[in-house]
Amino acid sequence: MVFTAAQKSAAPAAGTRAPDQGVPSGAELPGAINELRRQRKAVILAHYYQDDAIQDIADFIGDSLELSRKAAATEAEVIVFCGVHFMAETAKILSPDKTVLLPDLEAGCSLADACPADAFAAFRAEHPDHLVVSYINCSAAVKAQSDLICTSSNAVDLVRQLPADRPILFAPDQNLGRWVQNQSGRELTLWPGSCQVHETFSEQALLQLQLDHPDAEVLAHPECQQHLLDLADFIGSTSKLLHRAEASDADGFIVLTEPGILHQMRQRVPHKPFYAVPGADGCSCNACPYMRLNTLEKLWRCLVTNEPRIEMDEELRLRALAPIETMLAMSR
Ligand code: 13P
Ligand code: SF4
């Protein structure tokens, strides 16, 4: 590994928080990241909710399911996961021999936080005969207590495949769970969690956008609340929303999910308008505060320092791996 003098002096001592010094400026930053990525034999994976600049430099952009497949298949030595903690943790579970870096270790997820492992264990104990299906937006400790992991992309399909005579617990997102229940016809016992971002969209603003753009199609992520999903023309994971925008004849699109996805939508469908639904009172709380902690500067820094790394106890990893492998085997 070869670093420049500026990079060496920028590397923080272990356990300390680095001042943002030594970062190449503006136009030099993408080139510096490219050079480090080559030296480290790293792959940069990014979720659609990342800042535009991170999406533009990533080797691969995808939804949770696609990113976990990439993490399982990559031959790179280092995975830089530009997303949130549970996504990077899933990459580590699938690729234990690789170094997995998350540019900002504070990039958590309100939904994963809404399901503490010990409370979830008590909930499971109340329903001993149930199959446990957990959305991938949960900690490794919750995954380890699950029979099957799903993402918003495959949840309906997977639940439909489960034995009809077994009751099902679904955690941690109640909005997604309700939608899966409606689509699959299976009754689910729901853990009462939700995403702070997808709970924030303003119905009034959505109705106004529909009045202003009557020919636009409403695209919604299933983490949205039921009263908003009732107004949607198409519901799906981030990748499915993107593919719908590409395939649809509609003149424009009103988008009910984190607005990071609009960057890819506008690139792939440049001749049509896209409208992001704001949060209540027009706040910008429709942007995921956790996803947005990652920046191009932190991406550069983690390639310089090889930190922060995702580490995991091997016994926990193996227990969390089993339901993820079941998901990958059942996903078409
Ligand atoms: P996707 O699986 O659709 O990418 O969603 C992940 C997520 O965190 C949505 O809030
Ligand atoms: Fe978690 Fe919501 Fe952010 Fe997705 S948008 S990562 S569910 S907090």
Side-chain angles (χ1 to χ4, degrees), residues 47 49 64 83-87 107-113 135 137 173 194-199 221 223 238 257-258 286-292:
H47 190 266
Y49 295 166
S64 305
V84 291
H85 191 272
F86 76 81
M87 295 179 175
C109 168
S110 62
L111 189 47
D113 290 349
Y135 187 31
N137 296 38
D173 190 70
S194 57
C195 155
Q196 71 178 69
V197 176
H198 286 84
E199 292 258 307
H221 195 280
E223 286 178 22
T238 47
T257 193
E258 215 272 4
N286 59 352
C288 176
Y290 308 101
M291 288 275 184
R292 303 305 179 122

